[in-house]
Amino acid sequence: MNCDLIIKGKYILPMDEKLTVIKDGFIAVSKDKITTLGEINEIGKCQAKKIIDAGNSIIMPGLINTHTHAAMAYFRGLADDLPLDVWLKEHIFPAEAKYVNNEFIKKSGKLSCLEMIKSGTTCFNDMYFFGQEILAEVVKTAGLRALLGLDLKNPGYSVERVIEIAKQFKDDEFIKIALAPHSVYVCPREILEKVKQAAKAENLRVHIHVSETKKEVEDSIKNNGKSPVEYLDELGLLSDKLMAAHSVWLSDNDLEIYKNRGVKVAHCPVSNMKLASGVAPVEKMLKSEISVGLATDGAASNNTQDLFTEMRVCALLHKVSNLNPAVVSAREVVKMATINGAKVIGMEKEIGSLEVGKKADIITVGLNKPHLMPIYDPYSHLVYCANGADVKNVIVNGKVIMKNREVKTLDEDKILAEAVKFKI
Ligand SMILES: [Zn+2]
């Protein structure tokens, strides 16, 4: 059997239903898809044009970031140690008004894509109010996948414009478009009603920030007599196509609504900790079988887009907040960063696990480092020991976009030089 690419390595974590671990394994790729995988002794007469022998490595699906604002990379470290409303209203919104233009989106977006590739993220779910068409081109150049949410806040996109852009990208293999009403506290009722109709008519996903802070919930109860979740449910917006970022302050009734409507959650532990927003009830979500993906949020509130850090913090946060080391296990967290992330963005049939017929979005994590020795359990290492810089090779859609940490699709030196030059 002939194929285009074979990747070999010590451990393969396909992230399939059974959480199989293949020792000394291989994956064969033809064009954009995985054609075979198994133990190296089953490789038979498999001939490949290209071989990546990753040696002592973990080979796994590319990570999926379920909520970020890629264009905000240039605001990294601009304002820290502040509460959300002060941070947003006094620092981020004014900086956006002053600096965000086409050029900014292009350069800052490239920096984000570079950071994502170098830390093993192959697909991300984005939200921004400006320049998403430009970001789409950057993502395609980088060789990544993205679901780009077009933010409907003011200033931002109109629902009509989102529908238009979604049509332009209808058959695009790498870019999908979502409606993104920023939040209940930013978007008026008429907009949310329009979003509901458009989402249904055009079959689009909806990406929104929900119940991020206690104040957001208190204000919603004051203004609408309901929690943000109850309010969105009354508007008919909650469905299995709704992706709710944060979801920190949820009552048991809110959780019940999420479960019944099939709402998906993008969990951002580092951002929630840094802005002291609170601890999302992830343990309860998992018990209710609500799909939870992992997310960094934008580089202005994290301040990295390294999902490995996010995995570690996620596991630690829920253990200490539940005073129970058994909750949110390493396996559960790796699922959140891969197959469950794919479920959140509605792409679980194409990506999120390494299975025959699925897209070849694959990363290898090199283990020959002091902080990764010895190894008893690869899941434990991914969550508790590894970091983004341990990712060595990145393949998206069957194409090698980083080899031995050298990014093939973007000019790293140029992107870094441009970032150094940018000053506020
Ligand atoms: Zn956000």
Side-chain angles (χ1 to χ4, degrees):
M1 187 196 65
N2 293 327
C3 61
D4 294 318
L5 173 67
I6 285 179
I7 307 142
K8 299 195 264 186
K10 186 77 191 161
Y11 301 94
I12 299 179
L13 304 190
M15 301 310 297
D16 55 6
E17 195 77 21
K18 290 183 191 152
L19 293 183
T20 315
V21 178
I22 304 170
K23 268 195 180 175
D24 297 313
F26 79 98
I27 302 174
V29 175
S30 277
K31 290 187 183 142
D32 55 337
K33 290 197 178 73
I34 295 168
T35 48
T36 337
L37 74 166
E39 287 176 16
I40 200 78
N41 55 23
E42 298 162 4
I43 199 164
K45 289 198 184 97
C46 210
Q47 295 285 329
K49 289 178 197 144
K50 241 190 268 176
I51 294 177
I52 293 179
D53 189 349
N56 190 21
S57 292
I58 295 170
I59 302 172
M60 63 184 295
L63 306 182
I64 298 168
N65 191 345
T66 55
H67 176 73
T68 188
H69 310 278
M72 294 178 83
Y74 273 12
F75 295 139
R76 189 195 317 273
L78 171 68
D80 300 317
D81 309 326
L82 295 166
L84 178 70
D85 55 340
V86 178
W87 173 79
L88 258 184
K89 289 179 189 145
E90 292 177 24
H91 298 272
I92 298 301
F93 289 161
E96 286 182 331
K98 199 164 168 197
Y99 297 102
V100 172
N101 57 30
N102 291 355
E103 196 63 16
F104 178 96
I105 300 285
K106 206 171 173 183
K107 289 182 177 171
S108 186
K110 270 191 185 168
L111 181 63
S112 263
C113 288
L114 181 64
E115 187 188 3
M116 286 191 235
I117 295 172
K118 297 212 88 168
S119 53
T121 294
T122 54
C123 178
F124 66 98
N125 188 27
D126 199 83
M127 182 197 287
Y128 212 51
F129 70 101
F130 183 88
Q132 292 293 67
E133 310 90 308
I134 298 163
L135 182 66
E137 293 312 316
V138 172
V139 172
K140 284 164 79 79
T141 307
L144 292 170
R145 292 183 202 282
L147 171 53
L148 301 178
L150 277 49
D151 194 340
L152 297 153
K153 74 181 183 191
N154 188 16
Y157 291 89
S158 66
V159 173
E160 293 75 13
R161 184 76 185 121
V162 180
I163 294 171
E164 230 174 81
I165 297 172
K167 284 193 176 134
Q168 283 168 25
F169 287 95
K170 202 170 126 285
D171 299 315
D172 198 290
E173 191 155 16
F174 297 92
I175 305 291
K176 293 190 191 314
I177 302 294
L179 289 151
H182 181 277
S183 55
V184 162
Y185 60 92
V186 166
C187 289
R189 195 184 177 104
E190 314 86 77
I191 298 282
L192 294 170
E193 281 169 348
K194 254 179 124 170
V195 168
K196 184 209 154 188
Q197 286 162 3
K200 211 169 168 199
E202 306 294 328
N203 194 25
L204 292 172
R205 297 183 84 76
V206 178
H207 186 177
I208 181 169
H209 298 100
V210 183
S211 299
E212 182 173 357
T213 63
K214 199 173 170 193
K215 186 175 180 302
E216 179 186 334
V217 178
E218 286 167 355
D219 288 350
S220 171
I221 290 170
K222 213 185 307 164
N223 298 333
N224 310 311
K226 290 178 160 69
S227 74
V229 174
E230 290 163 351
Y231 177 63
L232 289 168
D233 197 33
E234 176 196 296
L235 291 170
L237 259 163
L238 299 184
S239 76
D240 60 354
K241 289 196 172 66
L242 188 117
M243 307 175 289
H246 301 297
S247 301
V248 174
W249 292 89
L250 299 188
S251 66
D252 285 348
N253 186 46
D254 291 340
L255 282 165
E256 188 68 24
I257 295 173
Y258 268 24
K259 189 187 166 180
N260 293 338
R261 303 279 179 254
V263 170
K264 312 289 194 271
V265 174
H267 174 44
C268 313
V270 172
S271 171
N272 296 159
M273 290 170 79
K274 183 161 180 269
L275 293 163
S277 303
V279 183
V282 167
E283 160 65 353
K284 286 186 181 174
M285 291 176 193
L286 297 179
K287 267 196 190 138
S288 308
E289 291 178 356
I290 293 167
S291 288
V292 183
L294 208 55
T296 58
D297 210 351
S301 64
N302 187 304
N303 302 2
T304 90
Q305 298 197 71
D306 179 354
L307 276 172
F308 282 85
T309 310
E310 215 65 40
M311 286 199 278
R312 183 164 200 250
V313 170
C314 174
L316 300 180
L317 172 64
H318 296 291
K319 288 168 200 306
V320 73
S321 62
N322 284 285
L323 295 178
N324 181 358
V327 301
V328 188
S329 67
R331 279 164 175 70
E332 205 56 69
V333 174
V334 180
K335 273 166 74 179
M336 285 164 69
T338 55
I339 185 64
N340 288 0
K343 287 180 187 163
V344 169
I345 60 170
M347 289 182 73
E348 71 273 20
K349 289 202 175 80
E350 294 103 60
I351 59 172
S353 63
L354 306 179
E355 294 176 83
V356 172
K358 274 191 151 180
K359 297 280 187 185
D361 289 10
I362 304 165
I363 62 171
T364 78
V365 180
L367 295 169
N368 284 337
K369 295 192 174 179
H371 64 283
L372 296 166
M373 294 273 178
I375 178 161
Y376 302 105
D377 176 2
Y379 288 101
S380 158
H381 264 36
L382 289 173
V383 174
Y384 299 118
C385 311
N387 60 66
D390 298 322
V391 175
K392 239 172 134 179
N393 300 292
V394 177
I395 294 126
V396 179
N397 215 43
K399 184 177 164 196
V400 182
I401 64 167
M402 182 169 84
K403 183 144 192 227
N404 289 324
R405 294 208 56 73
E406 192 197 320
V407 177
K408 304 283 186 190
T409 48
L410 298 172
D411 184 340
E412 180 165 0
D413 291 343
K414 191 176 166 208
I415 292 168
L416 298 183
E418 280 169 355
V420 168
K421 256 192 255 159
F422 179 79
K423 289 270 172 349
I424 284 186

